[in-house]
Amino acid sequence: MIADHVDMRGMTMSGPATAQGNGRYAITAEFVHGGNWRVTVQVNQDGANVALEDFDLAVR
Ligand SMILES: [Cu+2]
């Protein structure tokens, strides 16, 4: 998971997701401040990137 603060160039954070079972994964993230963030979820399998999805998240 990568989170990019789109309002502030160069501010990003990232970390791994943990398996919850039944194909579900979870992340815990502490956003340093509110604003508009773009979260990118990246799925790697056998060292290759197999899926990539972006979504926008407004942190208030
Ligand atoms: Cu920021």
Side-chain angles (χ1 to χ4, degrees):
M1 184 280 303
I2 301 160
D4 180 25
H5 186 202
V6 295
D7 301 327
M8 199 179 285
R9 192 167 280 283
M11 179 179 278
T12 62
M13 58 183 185
S14 63
T18 54
Q20 306 296 300
N22 294 322
R24 296 174 70 98
Y25 290 80
I27 58 161
T28 301
E30 192 168 326
F31 289 89
V32 290
H33 52 213
N36 298 307
W37 293 77
R38 175 155 298 128
V39 176
T40 302
V41 176
Q42 186 178 310
V43 180
N44 296 322
Q45 191 172 43
D46 300 325
N49 178 236
V50 293
L52 196 70
E53 192 78 44
D54 286 337
F55 62 95
D56 293 326
L57 178 69
V59 177
R60 302 286 175 235

